[in-house]
Amino acid sequence: MKKLLSLLGALTMIASTTATVIACGDTELKVNQAEMSGVLEEIGKAVYLNKTKGYNMDYVLQEYSFKNETIKTNYSKYFKDKLIGDSATLSGFANVVGKQPSDSDEITAILAITAKLLGLDASGDKKAQVTNAIKEALEMYNVNLQTGVTAEAKAEMQSVGAILKNVGTALETNSYIGKSYASAINEAMVKLVNEINKVAGVNTSFTATQFAQAMTSLTSTIKKLSTAGTGFDFAALFATAESSKAFIDVLKLTLLYINHIFTLDLSKDLENDDFIKAREAVIASTTFDLKGVVIKLNDALFGASQDSTGPVAIKNILKALFLNTRAGFYDGKYLNKSEDLFKNLENLNSYEYVNEDFGLGSFVAAIINGAVTIEADLGKFIPGAPSSGNLLENVGSISVNILGMITTGTPLLDSSTWTVLGGAIKGFTSLIPAISDKDVDELGSILTNADPIKELWSKNALGTFLRVFASLEGDFSLKGILTSPLNGLFGLNQAGGLDLIDLDTGADMSIKDILKLLVDSMGADDVKLNFDNLAAVFKNIGDIIVDLPTSVEGISAKLSDPALEALFKIIADAKGLKGIMEKIQAMGKNQKTKITKDIKTAYEAIKTSAIVAISDTEYKATINSRIQIAFEIEAVNKSFVISKIVYN
């Protein structure tokens, strides 16, 4: 984003005889009310468009307001540093960053480079083609290798290069041959917890047999970071070969397992033995078939028989990821006895692991437990409930246990339990007209059903409660979540600066639309990622960046033959990505054209605007005869800033 402080050409104006003198340190700033009024009137338009349309104020001012040279000159005269002060009071106006045509520039530029690489021909001169692609990329970003790399940037690049080398080494290393998948991923997750603790300054480490203790420690570390508000230094996690390997092993083992899950027939109710076979096939595999996963998922969720295959597919995925198959694991956790309801609910909190349990669900639970805490004294609201916040403290454990339980064919609640609980909910919701007894009964029909996922697929029982308690509108059945526009359900209208809008229809996109776009764009080409090939490329790129040559020819000379061969194998395996890149590029260009036109139309649609100077530091603008925007300004550091905006 072009910042207002980058505006050049500030001119010194001769103050009129009506100018007011305002002290600013040891300097006097002269304000001409007529000049300031003209500037603030245009700023009022930008504020109005930011508030009503979500457009970027910076862009509006630069592209439209400052076409008037007088306004541009006077703005530069009075607002030399920034427009809105750091401690400004804003009322009725939030000053969001806002949309502008350049939002999609970065992602489309990256995609253009990637599409160029994916278009390389393995039958031609490999090194010459890659050299030309590098040259085009450098020209696109206006990088001069001889003069454009500062000492500070070089140090940063050396750090990035070292990280890439570490990642490459981790990708090619497989120390889990001969182990079961469960023990392999559990060990990898314990090692990752140890590395996370190191980065977070927690001097605790665990062995592979201390899985339960490691997960508890992970929760504690995340809570510590959250409480301190310091965040987590992810770059530090790749600073050493050991820590890089810990992260990559967990990621690789998880992706390869997902890949093998999607080789199964997800439209049929699968047994645990099916997933065990899929897991054991992971250890010797090195390739993730993204296209295969996307097509299988799309067919299962949105095929001709989606209402029957969709719920089954979701159940199978949850079962593969979260079901604990140890005998008796869920005993005492079901909420199926009204007299033991809260005792059983408390049991959902518990960590109960043994070494050979498949621990991926436990890892997810530990992360959520650390990141999310809901404390509530339920005893104040529900008779018989514990008077403690600990009941809902471990949200991750409760969630993961429930996700595993609902795949087993046993209801979460029996009818007698629901009679008690449903009556209590109806007593509470009787005070809320928007929630009817019918809504509560529909929720009960889901919780007492042996297949709640099938019920949730088509029933919008959660929608009413989300509308009342979370201000979310729409169809929140599972089918509705997958097929309704994401903008309408969750207010999610962008990803990576790109509007989630269908290029052909102009409609907001849903998860179904996104999957269809991916499937259609890949066409007949594969999209596979071989980790051995990625390893060779990452290591060579890391070597180059650590000691970056000062010419494209120098970079070309450092491209190793094994890395070039690996790169062209990656390109051959991922040809389908080219179609996706080109489609997203087209979406970005369309978005840029559309938003440029929309902002121009909205600016020109402002029929009337006026401004009144109330005093030397107070002004009131009127937009379209009805919107009033009051401004107050103050002198700071030999310039002015807006210290208050009131939007009515």
Side-chain angles (χ1 to χ4, degrees), residues 551-568:
S551 67
V552 174
E553 291 71 24
I555 293 176
S556 178
K558 295 185 73 171
L559 289 169
S560 71
D561 289 338
L564 277 173
E565 290 300 319
L567 175 62
F568 277 84

Side-chain angles (χ1 to χ4, degrees), residues 336 338 411 413-421 448:
N336 57 359
S338 57
L413 298 174
D414 65 10
S415 57
S416 61
T417 302
W418 176 250
T419 299
V420 176
L421 186 59
T448 58

Side-chain angles (χ1 to χ4, degrees), residues 468-507:
V468 173
F469 296 111
S471 300
L472 294 175
E473 296 284 347
D475 181 0
F476 284 91
S477 64
L478 291 176
K479 184 177 180 180
I481 291 171
L482 294 169
T483 58
S484 300
L486 292 170
N487 188 24
L489 285 181
F490 306 108
L492 180 62
N493 57 8
Q494 275 198 342
L498 193 71
D499 285 346
L500 297 175
I501 296 176
D502 188 278
L503 186 62
D504 299 320
T505 66

Side-chain angles (χ1 to χ4, degrees), residues 91-390:
S91 177
F93 171 66
N95 189 27
V96 297
V97 173
K99 296 183 290 186
Q100 59 181 320
S102 62
D103 284 345
S104 60
D105 284 357
E106 184 173 356
I107 189 170
T108 52
I110 293 172
L111 293 176
I113 295 170
T114 308
K116 177 73 177 178
L117 283 173
L118 291 171
L120 300 184
D121 183 5
S123 64
D125 186 326
K126 294 182 177 67
K127 182 167 285 191
Q129 290 181 81
V130 174
T131 300
N132 186 55
I134 293 171
K135 186 178 294 184
E136 289 184 13
L138 293 173
E139 289 174 354
M140 183 179 294
Y141 283 96
N142 296 315
V143 175
N144 185 318
L145 290 173
Q146 291 182 319
T147 62
V149 182
T150 64
E152 182 181 3
K154 190 169 185 178
E156 182 68 24
M157 292 178 75
Q158 288 176 335
S159 175
V160 171
I163 287 173
L164 291 175
K165 290 173 67 176
N166 287 334
V167 170
T169 301
L171 283 168
E172 72 179 359
T173 303
N174 190 342
S175 58
Y176 298 108
I177 296 295
K179 296 184 179 181
S180 72
Y181 180 78
S183 61
I185 195 166
N186 286 1
E187 181 180 334
M189 289 186 289
V190 170
K191 289 180 178 179
L192 180 56
V193 170
N194 290 340
E195 297 303 323
I196 290 172
N197 281 345
K198 286 181 187 177
V199 174
V202 178
N203 298 319
T204 307
S205 63
F206 304 91
T207 65
T209 59
Q210 295 177 303
F211 184 79
Q213 297 95 315
M215 295 304 105
T216 302
S217 177
L218 178 59
T219 294
S220 176
T221 298
I222 294 173
K223 283 187 176 181
K224 173 190 171 184
L225 293 170
S226 178
T227 301
T230 55
F232 183 74
D233 185 1
F234 282 96
L237 198 57
F238 296 95
T240 67
E242 185 178 9
S243 57
S244 298
K245 184 179 184 307
F247 180 86
I248 294 298
D249 279 347
V250 172
L251 178 63
K252 184 167 64 173
L253 287 168
T254 303
L255 286 176
L256 290 173
Y257 176 42
I258 291 172
N259 184 79
H260 283 278
I261 291 172
F262 280 87
T263 63
L264 304 173
D265 186 353
L266 296 178
S267 66
K268 298 179 179 179
D269 200 352
L270 299 173
E271 300 296 332
N272 187 57
D273 285 347
D274 297 313
F275 302 120
I276 290 175
K277 290 176 183 177
R279 290 171 193 164
E280 298 320 310
V282 168
I283 299 298
S285 62
T286 59
T287 301
F288 177 67
D289 183 2
L290 177 61
K291 181 180 179 180
V293 170
V294 170
I295 288 178
K296 268 291 189 71
L297 186 61
N298 185 67
D299 289 346
L301 295 179
F302 308 117
S305 304
Q306 60 177 310
D307 287 335
S308 59
T309 61
V312 176
I314 292 175
K315 184 196 294 185
N316 283 326
I317 293 169
L318 293 178
K319 189 183 295 185
L321 296 175
F322 302 119
L323 178 66
N324 191 304
T325 58
R326 178 156 48 89
F329 180 81
Y330 295 114
D331 289 352
K333 290 187 175 68
Y334 287 106
L335 313 181
N336 57 359
K337 292 182 180 179
S338 57
E339 64 271 19
D340 295 328
L341 174 61
F342 293 106
K343 177 181 180 298
N344 291 339
L345 184 58
E346 284 182 311
N347 288 338
L348 287 169
N349 272 316
S350 62
Y351 279 117
E352 297 176 24
Y353 314 115
V354 295
N355 191 38
E356 286 302 311
D357 281 350
F358 173 50
L360 184 60
S362 304
F363 185 68
V364 172
I367 293 173
I368 298 174
N369 285 342
V372 180
T373 298
I374 300 175
E375 295 192 1
D377 185 353
L378 296 183
K380 291 182 178 179
F381 306 101
I382 304 176
S387 297
S388 168
N390 292 330

